[in-house]
Amino acid sequence: MTESTQDPNRNTAEYIKYYCDKTNRHDYAILLNGTWGSGKTYFIKKTLREINQKHLYVSLYGITSTEQIDDAFFRQMH
């Protein structure tokens, strides 16, 4: 059995870790796509915990403006 067969998410987790490395600069975001209930949020939060990365999390469900996103981040920071 190959490594990718043992953990099909290994490459994605490694890329997220690379993306979060502060020495790497990016002009884009990562989109993790999957059906509802497939574990996208769990996977992201687990990966960030593994690298001890502090983060803010906002679900975009029901969000209708960028101001609502800003407000959600502000509430988490204060």
Side-chain angles (χ1 to χ4, degrees), residues 9-35:
N9 295 321
R10 184 179 64 85
N11 290 337
T12 305
E14 290 302 316
Y15 187 78
I16 291 169
K17 292 173 186 178
Y18 162 80
Y19 183 88
C20 291
D21 184 336
K22 292 178 180 161
T23 62
N24 301 319
R25 297 189 57 106
H26 310 285
D27 293 331
Y28 55 88
I30 297 173
L31 171 65
L32 188 59
N33 194 15
T35 59

Side-chain angles (χ1 to χ4, degrees), residues 2 14 28-31 39 43-44 55 57 62 67 74:
T2 66
E14 290 302 316
Y28 55 88
I30 297 173
L31 171 65
F43 176 74
I44 291 291
H55 61 279
Y57 172 79
E67 289 81 14
F74 183 81

Side-chain angles (χ1 to χ4, degrees), residues 23-57:
T23 62
N24 301 319
R25 297 189 57 106
H26 310 285
D27 293 331
Y28 55 88
I30 297 173
L31 171 65
L32 188 59
N33 194 15
T35 59
W36 186 88
S38 62
K40 299 176 298 293
T41 301
Y42 172 80
F43 176 74
I44 291 291
K45 288 182 175 182
K46 176 181 171 279
T47 303
L48 293 175
R49 276 193 309 269
E50 288 174 4
I51 59 174
N52 198 26
Q53 181 76 37
K54 293 181 180 180
H55 61 279
L56 301 174
Y57 172 79

